[in-house]
């Protein structure tokens, strides 16, 4: 049996976590000398590469001095916290990666709290030490304060520190004593992360922490053997989440070797393995020796905070662009997502065409929507809503800590806007280069639809990060969108003449030559109320000529909204229509007559 160390790398978004894994793989010698190596090799799916963020937790391993180090690369965004929570049980230590300039950020706090509660041994890596504004000594003090604030034990608070620049491939024990390669980091992992516990002579037991999939062998269970050993083809008992048991046979056993899965005849306590041939298995279920059936506690993750309705597309263009369009297709896909997305919830509603989907944030749900549309699904989604709790006769709503870095010139505008959204300022301090850091406590409802407004107010120079901070009594009404929508008058094709007249009323979302239907939203009105515009209107042809009438009409460039911007923009009576080729905004009630009748009913 080889010596093993199991670690997870946790960090805030864009602090260099996946780049560090790249260098660890390279320094361990898993690549050939002439091999072409992709940057951020662990960000393996298209969405991760496009957005530059890690979405799914992934496993790899490296060898250092005959010691196998199993590494789990975790997401850095709080919306994907469920991906982190379910894999922490597979490791004995964590590398807490912190930017040498930014210091500990919201996600750092969120994940570190979970790791410390599990008693994991932390190693702090101060990354990007070569940044011109790096302030490593101050950052170390901030991290120590964070450990104390989160209730770390004396042993955990006495954490080892390694300084590094993952991009340059250098590391060291002091910021001014750096060396090429990651030997200081590997040595610290080997000496400070404990060996996995577990007696290989006891009956086999393993908790399924992740699910992989192979088109040839089907679902593959991923987890760490808690005790005992396992051989290929061995009979085992599957303990399901609902309390039932089932006898199954272990198929093939795989282990991680660098970026590859390598087949193995047997595995022992402490090994992180993959098992095929178990059929319909899910995350949180336990595999046991049939002679000693003792299920492990089911993996628990924090509850969802945001929900939205997924509906079958019923617009006039329904079925034109998607491959999977029926309620059965939509239902099957959403419930299949529950197998691997542990922090997601899906509920059926009174309507067979509508499903309530709850997640950890707007980004969490928008990634699911984007994934589904790329797979050929066509559907509609409603405006995100926060999930309220009822306790002791009180209505509680989720509240978030909001951290903002922005040029100080824009601070006044942002503070004013957030004040209207019931935000409470906790701290305001200047940082380098004329920037200011603001900290707020704000209801989650107040942040829905705010990000695009924030980017406009800061001219794209502001950065905002949030993390859930519990629940507070309901705050009452919160001001949301202050402008109305421009709605298409009729079905047809948008033309320059119609758009030219409409653009004087506000901001356009579409250009000429696009098919539209009655009730589709084509822009944002400059005033608070909705207006109907005829973007299909053509100029009447006459035999009269007038000075200037033949000059070309000039249109302003339309604002093409991304999926996240669409979700932020819509109000309660609007939907986002999602197809593999298009993202459209629409009113729930398409005709003006239906909307007027609904408005009159609401007045009564």
């Amino acid at each position: 049996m080889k010596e093993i160390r199991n670690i997870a790398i946790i960090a805030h978004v864009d602090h260099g976590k996946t780049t560090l894994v790249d260098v660890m793989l390279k320094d361990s010698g898993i690549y050939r000398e002439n091999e072409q190596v992709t940057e951020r090799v662990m960000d393996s799916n298209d969405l991760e590469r496009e957005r530059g963020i890690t979405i799914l937790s992934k496993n790899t391993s490296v060898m250092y001095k005959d010691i196998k180090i199993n590494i789990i690369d975790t997401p850095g965004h709080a919306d994907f916290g469920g991906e982190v929570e379910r894999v922490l049980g597979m490791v004995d230590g964590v590398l807490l990666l912190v930017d040498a300039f930014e210091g500990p950020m919201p996600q750092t706090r969120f994940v570190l709290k979970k790791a410390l509660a599990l008693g994991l041994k932390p190693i702090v890596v101060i990354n990007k030490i070569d940044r011109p504004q790096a302030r490593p000594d101050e950052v170390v003090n901030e991290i120590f304060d964070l450990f104390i604030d989160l209730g770390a034990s004396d042993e955990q608070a006495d954490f080892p520190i390694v300084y590094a620049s993952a991009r340059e491939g250098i590391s060291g024990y002091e910021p001014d004593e750096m060396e090429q390669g990651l030997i200081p980091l590997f040595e610290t992992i080997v000496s400070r992360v404990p060996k996995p516990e577990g007696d290989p002579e006891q009956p086999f037991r393993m908790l399924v922490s992740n699910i992989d999939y192979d088109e040839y062998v089907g679902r593959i269970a991923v987890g760490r053997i808690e005790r005992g050993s396992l051989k290929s083809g061995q009979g085992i008992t599957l303990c399901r989440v609902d309390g039932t048991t089932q006898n199954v046979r272990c198929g093939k056993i795989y282990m991680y070797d660098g970026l590859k899965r390598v087949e193995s005849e047997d595995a022992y306590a402490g090994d992180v393995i993959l098992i095929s041939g178990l059929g319909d298995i899910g995350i949180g279920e336990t595999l046991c020796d049939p002679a000693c059936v003792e299920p492990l506690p089911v993996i628990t993750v924090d509850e969802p905070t945001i929900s939205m309705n997924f509906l079958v597309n019923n617009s006039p263009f329904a079925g034109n662009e998607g491959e999977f369009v029926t309620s059965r297709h939509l239902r099957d896909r959403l419930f299949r997502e529950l197998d691997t997305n542990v922090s997601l919830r899906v509920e059926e509603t009174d309507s067979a065409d509508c499903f309530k989907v709850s997640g950890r944030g707007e980004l969490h749900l928008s990634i699911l929507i984007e994934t589904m549309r790329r797979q050929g699904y066509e559907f509609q989604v409603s405006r995100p809503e926060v999930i309220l709790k009822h306790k002791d006769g009180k209505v509680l709503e989720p509240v978030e800590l909001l951290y903002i870095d922005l040029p100080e010139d824009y601070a006044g505008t942002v503070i004013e806007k957030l004040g209207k959204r019931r935000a409470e300022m906790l701290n305001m301090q200047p940082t380098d280069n004329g920037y200011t850091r603001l900290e707020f406590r704000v209801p989650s409802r107040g942040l829905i639809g705010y990000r695009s407004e924030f980017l406009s107010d800061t001219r794209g120079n502001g950065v905002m990060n949030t993390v859930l901070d519990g629940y507070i009594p309901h705050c009452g009404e919160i001001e949301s969108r202050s402008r109305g929508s421009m709605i298409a008058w009729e079905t047809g094709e948008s033309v320059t003449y119609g758009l030219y007249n409409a653009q004087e009323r506000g901001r356009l979302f579409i250009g000429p030559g696009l098919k539209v239907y009655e009730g589709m939203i084509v822009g944002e009105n400059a005033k608070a109320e909705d207006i109907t515009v005829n973007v299909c209107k053509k100029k009447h042809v006459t035999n009269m000529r007038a000075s200037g009438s033949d000059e070309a009409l000039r249109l302003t460039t339309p604002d093409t909204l991304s999926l996240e911007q669409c979700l932020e923009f819509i109000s309660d009576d609007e939907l986002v229509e999602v197809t593999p080729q298009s993202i459209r905004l629409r009113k729930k009630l398409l005709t003006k007559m239906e909307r007027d009748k609904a408005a009159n009913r609401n007045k009564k």
Side-chain angles (χ1 to χ4, degrees):
M1 289 173 56
K2 290 179 180 175
E3 272 201 55
I4 298 173
R5 302 290 186 275
N6 295 318
I7 60 166
I9 303 184
I10 57 179
H12 189 78
V13 179
D14 202 32
H15 279 199
K17 181 168 31 65
T18 306
T19 305
L20 182 69
V21 176
D22 282 356
V23 183
M24 293 177 78
L25 289 167
K26 181 182 175 186
D27 281 14
S28 67
I30 72 157
Y31 300 121
R32 300 187 311 273
E33 283 189 21
N34 62 344
E35 188 170 350
Q36 288 290 105
V37 182
T38 310
E39 279 190 13
R40 301 197 320 276
V41 68
M42 295 295 283
D43 285 349
S44 50
N45 72 40
D46 291 342
L47 272 176
E48 289 180 319
R49 292 205 164 278
E50 286 173 22
R51 295 170 183 248
I53 60 173
T54 303
I55 296 170
L56 303 172
S57 293
K58 289 176 280 296
N59 297 61
T60 186
S61 73
V62 298
M63 293 297 297
Y64 178 73
K65 291 184 177 178
D66 295 327
I67 298 174
K68 184 176 186 179
I69 302 174
N70 288 312
I71 303 169
I72 303 178
D73 182 23
T74 64
H77 197 288
D79 281 21
F80 307 113
E83 287 286 319
V84 185
E85 291 169 67
R86 65 185 168 91
V87 300
L88 289 179
M90 296 167 64
V91 299
D92 304 291
V94 291
L95 294 188
L96 177 65
L97 197 71
V98 181
D99 188 294
F101 168 65
E102 293 184 353
M105 297 288 279
Q107 180 67 0
T108 315
R109 167 183 288 270
F110 171 78
V111 185
L112 180 60
K113 183 178 180 180
K114 302 283 184 186
L116 294 176
L118 291 170
L120 301 179
K121 299 292 186 292
I123 296 172
V124 171
V125 181
I126 309 295
N127 192 31
K128 303 189 182 181
I129 200 70
D130 55 336
R131 282 186 69 164
Q133 311 97 329
R135 48 187 189 95
D137 293 338
E138 295 171 49
V139 168
V140 169
N141 290 334
E142 290 173 12
I143 294 170
F144 181 77
D145 291 342
L146 177 60
F147 270 71
I148 300 304
D149 189 33
L150 296 178
S153 66
D154 292 344
E155 188 182 1
Q156 289 173 326
D158 185 24
F159 49 81
I161 303 169
V162 178
Y163 300 89
S165 170
R167 190 178 61 179
E168 300 299 323
I170 57 176
S171 63
Y173 297 112
E174 297 293 338
D176 52 357
E177 296 177 12
M178 308 296 286
E179 61 183 76
Q180 196 65 37
L182 296 182
I183 289 177
L185 178 58
F186 284 129
E187 286 289 343
T188 306
I189 292 170
V190 169
S191 62
R192 299 300 289 263
V193 175
K195 300 176 185 178
E197 295 179 354
D199 185 351
E201 302 301 323
Q202 288 189 340
F204 167 75
R205 186 165 68 168
M206 182 185 107
L207 182 71
V208 179
S209 299
N210 205 347
I211 294 291
D212 205 340
Y213 186 80
D214 186 284
E215 59 184 31
Y216 297 108
V217 300
R219 295 165 70 79
I220 300 174
V222 183
R224 186 180 80 169
I225 300 179
E226 193 228 4
R227 70 182 188 200
S229 61
L230 182 67
K231 292 187 181 297
S232 180
Q234 180 179 326
I236 48 180
T237 297
L238 168 59
C239 304
R240 298 198 178 276
V241 175
D242 60 8
T244 61
T245 61
Q246 177 186 351
N247 289 328
V248 294
R249 188 163 296 279
C250 168
K252 292 182 177 179
I253 299 173
Y254 302 91
M255 292 189 187
Y256 291 100
D257 181 12
L259 299 171
K260 302 190 294 289
R261 289 200 304 239
V262 179
E263 192 173 337
S264 176
E265 283 300 313
D266 49 25
Y268 299 89
D271 282 328
V272 175
I273 63 170
L274 305 90
I275 308 173
S276 67
L278 300 177
D280 184 21
I281 189 168
I283 291 170
E285 298 179 337
T286 304
L287 298 170
C288 299
D289 188 309
C292 184
V293 178
E294 297 174 351
L296 286 159
V298 176
I299 295 172
T300 57
V301 298
D302 288 350
E303 290 294 314
T305 58
I306 296 284
S307 69
M308 60 173 65
N309 291 329
F310 282 51
L311 307 101
V312 173
N313 189 13
N314 62 356
S315 81
F317 295 167
N320 291 346
E321 299 173 356
E323 183 181 352
F324 306 109
V325 297
T326 66
S327 61
R328 182 176 60 82
H329 287 140
L330 185 60
R331 182 186 186 281
D332 291 348
R333 177 63 183 84
L334 289 173
F335 279 95
R336 194 163 69 245
E337 184 70 18
L338 296 179
D339 293 340
T340 54
N341 201 333
V342 291
S343 48
L344 196 76
R345 302 285 183 273
V346 179
E347 303 168 46
E348 299 192 65
T349 65
D350 296 338
S351 169
D353 293 341
C354 176
F355 303 90
K356 183 180 178 182
V357 181
S358 306
R360 292 282 276 269
E362 289 176 84
L363 182 61
H364 183 203
L365 294 175
S366 69
I367 290 291
L368 170 62
I369 295 167
E370 182 64 33
T371 303
M372 288 175 62
R373 72 180 283 251
R374 293 185 182 204
Q375 293 170 346
Y377 288 84
E378 181 178 311
F379 54 98
Q380 299 175 135
V381 293
S382 67
R383 184 174 191 257
E385 297 178 353
V386 301
I387 299 172
L388 303 177
K389 283 187 174 183
H390 298 269
K391 188 176 180 181
D392 301 330
K394 294 181 180 178
V395 179
L396 305 179
E397 65 174 323
V399 63
E400 305 198 27
L401 289 176
L402 171 64
Y403 298 79
I404 291 176
D405 289 291
L406 78 173
E408 57 188 25
D409 296 346
Y410 305 126
T413 304
V414 170
I415 293 170
E416 181 188 353
K417 292 279 183 74
L418 285 170
K420 295 177 180 177
R421 292 171 176 263
R422 306 283 180 134
E424 172 194 354
M425 185 186 287
L426 303 177
N427 193 14
M428 177 179 182
Q429 63 185 58
T431 58
D432 292 348
N433 302 326
Y435 270 65
T436 297
R437 172 167 289 184
L438 306 174
E439 295 179 21
F440 295 90
R441 200 161 184 255
V442 56
S444 299
R445 281 185 304 139
L447 292 176
I448 293 177
Y450 176 65
R451 191 174 294 270
S452 56
E453 191 176 331
F454 168 76
L455 290 173
S456 298
D457 290 342
T458 61
R459 306 294 187 271
N461 292 304
V463 177
M464 58 182 279
N465 292 288
T466 62
V467 64
L468 186 67
D469 190 42
Y471 285 77
I472 58 172
H474 195 272
C475 294
E477 289 298 316
I478 292 179
E479 179 184 313
S480 56
R481 200 174 91 199
S482 58
R483 296 182 177 181
S485 300
M486 289 198 286
I487 306 162
W489 170 264
E490 62 180 351
T491 300
E493 188 173 295
S494 60
V495 295
T496 301
Y497 184 73
L499 290 169
Y500 181 77
N501 292 322
Q503 74 180 6
E504 297 175 3
R505 311 294 295 273
R507 177 171 65 123
L508 288 175
F509 297 154
I510 65 168
L514 195 74
K515 290 183 178 179
V516 300
Y517 53 80
E518 182 183 4
M520 180 172 154
I521 296 170
V522 296
E524 180 185 52
N525 186 16
K527 297 181 180 178
E529 67 273 3
D530 293 341
I531 58 167
T532 306
V533 294
N534 191 354
V535 294
C536 304
K537 184 179 180 181
K538 297 179 181 178
K539 185 178 180 182
H540 290 296
V541 178
T542 69
N543 59 359
M544 301 292 292
R545 293 176 66 85
S547 174
S549 63
D550 292 328
E551 289 182 9
L553 300 176
R554 295 195 174 184
L555 293 177
T556 56
T557 304
D559 287 338
T560 304
L561 301 186
S562 66
L563 175 60
E564 280 86 1
Q565 289 172 322
C566 288
L567 294 176
E568 288 182 356
F569 176 81
I570 58 173
S571 58
D572 293 334
D573 64 339
E574 296 167 352
L575 298 170
V576 180
E577 179 187 352
V578 180
T579 77
Q581 298 175 29
S582 311
I583 297 175
R584 304 183 186 95
L585 299 171
R586 54 160 288 184
K587 286 289 184 181
K588 285 182 180 177
L589 303 175
L590 294 179
T591 67
K592 190 172 188 308
M593 184 183 296
E594 289 175 322
R595 293 195 295 275
D596 289 343
K597 284 181 180 178
N600 290 332
R601 283 196 299 270
N602 291 335
K603 286 179 183 177
K604 296 176 184 177

